[in-house]
Amino acid sequence: MEQRPMVWMFLATIVGVLLWKQWIVGGMITTALFLVFYHFHKKKETYAITLVLMALGMALGLMSSANYHQRYYNIQKEARVAANHGQKLQTGGTVLQVKESETSIQYKIKSKKKFFIQVFQSKKQTKQFYQVGDKVMIIGSPTSFSHAKNEGGYDEVAVSHGEGVVLKFLSPYMKKMGANPFYAFLSKVRLHYQSSYSGLSKNGEAILNAMCLGDKSLLSDTLKDDFQRAGMSHILAISGVHVSVVGMALFGWLLKRKLYLSQCALGAFFGVSFFVLFSGNGQSAMRAGIMFFIYLGSILLGSSYDGLTSTAFAGILIALCYPYAIYSAAFQYSFVAVGSVFLAMELCIHLYEKIHPLRKTLLISFFIYSSNFILMAFYQYEVPLFSIMINFLVLPLVSPILALGLLGGGLNFAFLLTLCDGFISFMYLVARFFAKIPRATVVVGKPSPVLCILYMAIWLLAYVLAYQKKKLRFLLIIFLPMILIILSHQHHNDDLTFLDVGQGDGIYVETDSGRSYMVDGGSSSEKQIGRYVLEPFLKSRGRGRIHLWFVSHCDKDHISGLQELLENHFPIDAICFTRNVVKSEGYKSIITLAKANHTKIFHVKNGTLISEKSLSINTFSCPGTDANDASLVLLLHFIKSEKTALLGGDISSEVEEKFLPSIKESLQGSFISIMKANHHGSKFSNGMETLSELNPSLFIISAGRNNSYGHPSPEVLERLDKLKIKHWCTKDVGEIRVDVK
């Protein structure tokens, strides 16, 4: 790498982009980069030219980032000015992408000012639908992007920033102003392919749409989960493999037609350009397209092709044109993976005069896996264990699937598509088989940025040692940071976290003895909170299982997420109900799912004491036909800190008063440190007598934004203020983590 000035320029460009917004991190990386550069180049003839290119790259990166952020702030300022004057913002552009769900349509629009706009339209309220290539006018009030409400949750701000989306509209006024003929043609071709694929199996249609068209909207949650657990998600994204297969196949076919080399290269250039745009123009496809064009240029010039230099040049172009891209997971996965491939190939050439293809393939697979290990941990919170073996089996299928899919779809040739469907079925069977193996993935939690940098530093050190000493055994050093990542979240602390689940309850409890508990987990306002809130939260904490899950009662806003996790076979050792639980349809559903999941069921009576080394739990309940009043009430006592927490489900003021003597007796003279609002802050709960008697230090309310119940009620807030009880609500601050250490 020391002989490749372009690689150093690429790294300096990335640092330049970082410096504009994150000057502390950028400054640290700059220092490290120049120290490493000096180590490699102090005796090299290319020292001066490389240093100049690095300075140029850093300056260009800084200027590009400054220009982008200036445009971003100008757009945001324009939107704020319009809002302050009670006016709506008028903008527009060309539709580049259309995604449909059951209830809405999402458009990605490229503005004339070179930024992207995201528009969501309700299917019920929309009369006109737009296609890719349509030029539209938009009039409306932009909606702000939201940060993640819970740990591990979807951070709309980060994702939109990484994709260059600066404005979001919900159901604005839209009007078609014309059409871009080229994009309209692309849209017709895509529709033709989608129609051709519609006759295949459900999975076959979804996977071909993803692999050939870059459209993942048909992929089911189960399919995506299976591919992720098997370490095969990259196959579903348009990447270098896909672009290379298309480009090389087209170039080879043209050569066989005995055309001039320049004509073959020109044909391949236009073919790959069309495929990149046709498949959505994603960052990975863009990177692969640029690299393929450089490869064609090297053939025409009769010079050698250097993969690392080509990768670096593509990275510089993308970083300068789209500086925000470096923050996206797609950019990071793409460049880390392709860079590791070329590093592995260079190591093979350096160590062996001749290497067996199988050994070379395994070494490249290990490099891809180990380099992406830290990214999988950071973005997915878990890593697959069999990824190297699986990719060894399925990667050879990518070429025939793409060839058959593109050719069969274009010609609408049923035989080719049926054959392609067979390959896809086999590939999915492999994914399903490995995904279902116990411990196929290891939940590692989200590593800190410092740990990520340390991991990559050790990875590069291992590579340099293996290269310089000509000994592969130095690559074993890479396993040290892997083990460090896996163990980094194995340390446990006493912890109490109230999740923002919208209108519902979801409480996580952890002890320093290593046990994890949940209390409820449901929502009546948010869909799929098991998939999008509970599971990401637990995995980001490094928790791949729950030892005991308490259910206060079986209303939807307390169990919907638990039902999802059981359906997806998330490991839950046991579920605890009160003996007085109202056996509703929700209760019966959990019992059925728990049995299928081999999860134990416990029913505790009033006054039961559950204790372990670090935590004791008193349970209270009373019989009745009302599910809310029959809720399981928990009094947690963290033994080391002597802090207590009262979690009362949805009980009413009348039931609260019944339990007061028992609760005060269980407290044994101590006080309530944390109290969760009963029934989400309803005025018919959280009575004045209960609040004044218990006088908690902190009162936590779990309620959804703009909920139809008016929770928390003004009456309850007035009681809290009168008693000077500090209170927080999840709808205002998101997830609330309370220090109980």
Side-chain angles (χ1 to χ4, degrees):
M1 190 170 73
E2 65 271 17
Q3 299 295 332
R4 297 180 173 92
M6 194 63 67
V7 174
W8 292 98
M9 184 180 178
F10 167 59
L11 296 175
T13 303
I14 298 299
V15 170
V17 173
L18 284 172
L19 276 171
W20 181 256
K21 287 291 287 182
Q22 299 172 325
W23 60 271
I24 295 178
V25 175
M28 293 170 62
I29 296 175
T30 301
T31 304
L33 179 64
F34 276 95
L35 286 174
V36 174
F37 165 75
Y38 178 75
H39 171 76
F40 281 116
H41 277 76
K42 56 186 176 182
K43 295 181 181 179
K44 303 292 181 182
E45 296 177 357
T46 56
Y47 179 87
I49 184 66
T50 305
L51 195 60
V52 170
L53 287 175
M54 286 179 68
L56 178 62
M58 191 171 294
L60 289 173
L62 193 60
M63 290 169 58
S64 175
S65 185
N67 179 53
Y68 166 73
H69 284 99
Q70 186 60 52
R71 286 191 288 118
Y72 176 83
Y73 290 131
N74 287 341
I75 294 161
Q76 295 297 319
K77 183 180 178 180
E78 187 181 343
R80 284 195 300 271
V81 169
N84 292 337
H85 288 81
Q87 300 172 346
K88 294 185 177 181
L89 183 67
Q90 180 173 328
T91 183
T94 304
V95 178
L96 295 185
Q97 196 176 75
V98 181
K99 292 182 180 178
E100 285 192 50
S101 67
E102 292 181 6
T103 58
S104 66
I105 300 178
Q106 176 185 340
Y107 299 104
K108 186 175 182 180
I109 298 165
K110 187 174 183 179
S111 165
K112 293 178 181 179
K113 296 181 180 179
K114 296 183 180 180
F115 62 85
F116 293 104
I117 304 167
Q118 202 172 46
V119 176
F120 293 88
Q121 291 278 28
S122 169
K123 285 186 174 179
K124 291 182 179 179
Q125 299 175 358
T126 303
K127 295 181 179 179
Q128 184 174 0
F129 301 98
Y130 303 95
Q131 302 295 329
V132 172
D134 286 349
K135 294 181 178 180
V136 296
M137 178 179 67
I138 303 168
I139 301 176
S141 300
T143 304
S144 59
F145 297 101
S146 59
H147 286 284
K149 301 172 187 174
N150 301 281
E151 289 175 72
Y154 178 73
D155 191 334
E156 191 180 33
V157 172
V159 173
S160 61
H161 183 60
E163 294 179 351
V165 177
V166 300
L167 289 175
K168 180 178 74 169
F169 291 90
L170 301 180
S171 299
Y173 170 77
M174 295 179 71
K175 182 179 179 181
K176 184 175 178 179
M177 307 298 290
N180 181 306
F182 177 70
Y183 282 111
F185 172 68
L186 281 180
S187 179
K188 289 180 181 179
V189 175
R190 286 173 64 87
L191 288 172
H192 169 76
Y193 271 91
Q194 289 170 347
S195 176
S196 298
Y197 297 154
S198 62
L200 301 177
S201 64
K202 187 176 180 180
N203 287 334
E205 180 186 5
I207 290 173
L208 268 185
N209 270 280
M211 290 181 65
C212 297
L213 308 180
D215 178 12
K216 297 183 181 180
S217 61
L218 297 179
L219 296 173
S220 66
D221 290 341
T222 301
L223 192 150
K224 286 188 283 191
D225 288 344
D226 287 338
F227 271 72
Q228 180 175 313
R229 289 174 187 144
M232 295 166 54
S233 296
H234 59 93
I235 291 174
L236 300 176
I238 305 294
S239 65
V241 175
H242 305 69
V243 173
S244 298
V245 167
V246 172
M248 294 306 296
L250 181 58
F251 187 60
W253 181 79
L254 291 172
L255 283 174
K256 289 180 179 179
R257 305 278 76 78
K258 297 181 179 180
L259 299 174
Y260 289 110
L261 188 63
S262 58
Q263 293 174 324
C264 297
L266 190 63
F269 173 84
F270 283 113
V272 167
S273 299
F274 184 84
F275 177 71
V276 169
L277 293 171
F278 166 75
S279 60
N281 199 26
Q283 292 169 11
S284 297
M286 199 186 308
R287 186 266 309 156
I290 295 170
M291 292 177 65
F292 184 74
F293 301 152
I294 295 172
Y295 169 75
L296 292 176
S298 69
I299 292 176
L300 289 175
L301 295 173
S303 59
S304 60
Y305 173 77
D306 183 74
L308 284 173
T309 299
S310 175
T311 303
F313 185 76
I316 292 168
L317 286 182
I318 293 173
L320 294 182
C321 294
Y322 312 101
Y324 51 79
I326 71 167
Y327 297 100
S328 74
F331 180 93
Q332 294 163 22
Y333 272 113
S334 177
F335 279 89
V336 168
V338 75
S340 65
V341 168
F342 289 119
L343 286 173
M345 292 172 67
E346 182 155 318
L347 187 63
C348 290
I349 294 170
H350 185 68
L351 295 184
Y352 306 102
E353 291 183 5
K354 189 176 182 181
I355 183 172
H356 193 280
L358 179 60
R359 188 174 189 179
K360 182 179 179 180
T361 302
L362 288 174
L363 186 61
I364 291 174
S365 296
F366 171 74
F367 266 61
I368 296 173
Y369 175 77
S370 61
S371 63
N372 275 307
F373 182 93
I374 190 64
L375 292 175
M376 289 187 286
F378 189 80
Y379 288 110
Q380 300 170 8
Y381 322 129
E382 60 183 345
V383 291
L385 294 181
F386 304 111
S387 180
I388 295 175
M389 185 189 308
I390 296 168
N391 283 292
F392 183 75
L393 291 172
V394 301
L395 278 180
L397 297 175
V398 173
S399 295
I401 288 173
L402 273 173
L404 292 170
L406 289 171
L407 192 61
L411 300 174
N412 202 11
F413 196 172
F415 173 74
L416 294 180
L417 291 175
T418 303
L419 188 60
C420 182
D421 204 11
F423 282 122
I424 290 174
S425 297
F426 173 76
M427 183 171 68
Y428 185 53
L429 281 174
V430 172
R432 290 279 293 175
F433 173 77
F434 281 98
K436 297 303 178 186
I437 295 176
R439 306 289 183 179
T441 59
V442 176
V443 176
V444 298
K446 185 174 183 174
S448 66
V450 173
L451 201 53
C452 294
I453 293 171
L454 179 63
Y455 179 93
M456 292 310 299
I458 296 175
W459 192 95
L460 289 170
L461 174 65
Y463 177 82
V464 170
L465 288 173
Y467 189 90
Q468 291 181 344
K469 305 294 184 182
K470 295 187 177 183
K471 298 290 183 182
L472 274 180
R473 63 171 175 264
F474 284 102
L475 294 179
L476 295 175
I477 296 173
I478 294 173
F479 287 104
L480 293 177
M482 283 186 179
I483 295 169
L484 182 64
I485 295 294
I486 291 172
L487 296 179
S488 63
H489 280 79
Q490 297 308 306
H491 178 68
H492 297 262
N493 288 306
D494 289 340
D495 181 64
L496 178 62
T497 302
F498 297 84
L499 299 177
D500 182 359
V501 293
Q503 186 63 19
D505 270 352
I507 305 157
Y508 173 72
V509 184
E510 181 182 303
T511 67
D512 63 4
S513 61
R515 293 184 68 82
S516 299
Y517 304 87
M518 281 292 301
V519 181
D520 290 337
S523 178
S524 59
S525 63
E526 305 294 326
K527 295 181 180 179
Q528 292 186 285
I529 67 151
R531 179 178 181 83
Y532 296 116
V533 177
L534 302 182
E535 190 170 356
F537 167 80
L538 292 171
K539 288 183 175 180
S540 72
R541 288 282 190 92
R543 306 297 172 245
R545 73 184 311 108
I546 291 295
H547 295 96
L548 182 59
W549 197 304
F550 292 96
V551 177
S552 66
H553 62 296
C554 295
D555 285 353
K556 178 184 177 181
D557 59 336
H558 291 255
I559 64 167
S560 62
L562 170 59
Q563 289 172 314
E564 280 183 63
L565 294 189
L566 288 171
E567 288 170 356
N568 294 331
H569 306 289
F570 185 88
I572 300 170
D573 293 344
I575 298 174
C576 181
F577 298 94
T578 170
R579 284 187 182 177
N580 299 314
V581 63
V582 174
K583 296 179 179 178
S584 61
E585 290 301 316
Y587 170 82
K588 294 173 184 176
S589 169
I590 291 177
I591 296 297
T592 302
L593 290 168
K595 288 180 179 178
N597 213 34
H598 306 293
T599 298
K600 296 177 182 177
I601 297 292
F602 294 105
H603 293 82
V604 293
K605 63 181 181 180
N606 180 42
T608 299
L609 176 65
I610 301 171
S611 62
E612 53 139 306
K613 180 182 176 182
S614 306
L615 177 70
S616 66
I617 304 173
N618 293 90
T619 66
F620 308 95
S621 66
C622 64
T625 56
D626 183 83
N628 289 343
D629 281 342
S631 291
L632 175 63
V633 178
L634 303 174
L635 177 62
L636 312 182
H637 181 207
F638 294 90
I639 294 170
K640 285 189 177 179
S641 65
E642 297 187 351
K643 291 183 178 179
T644 56
L646 183 62
L647 313 175
D650 280 359
I651 59 174
S652 63
S653 298
E654 183 181 350
V655 177
E656 291 171 359
E657 292 170 11
K658 283 183 182 179
F659 287 145
L660 268 177
S662 300
I663 291 171
K664 293 178 74 173
E665 182 182 346
S666 300
L667 286 170
Q668 297 178 347
S670 60
F671 61 93
I672 295 292
S673 308
I674 305 109
M675 178 177 173
K676 182 194 77 72
N678 297 323
H679 205 172
H680 319 290
S682 166
K683 65 181 179 181
F684 301 110
S685 302
N686 315 290
M688 192 65 173
E689 181 180 347
T690 301
L691 293 174
S692 59
E693 284 286 327
L694 296 178
N695 193 26
S697 301
L698 179 62
F699 193 80
I700 305 294
I701 307 166
S702 180
R705 293 161 185 79
N706 303 313
N707 67 81
S708 59
Y709 307 99
H711 293 159
S713 70
E715 291 89 342
V716 170
L717 296 178
E718 186 179 338
R719 293 168 200 163
L720 294 169
D721 291 337
K722 187 174 182 179
L723 294 170
K724 297 182 179 180
I725 296 173
K726 186 178 181 180
H727 53 88
W728 292 336
C729 185
T730 56
K731 75 182 181 68
D732 299 323
V733 298
E735 170 195 313
I736 300 170
R737 186 174 185 178
V738 184
D739 182 11
V740 291
K741 294 191 288 294

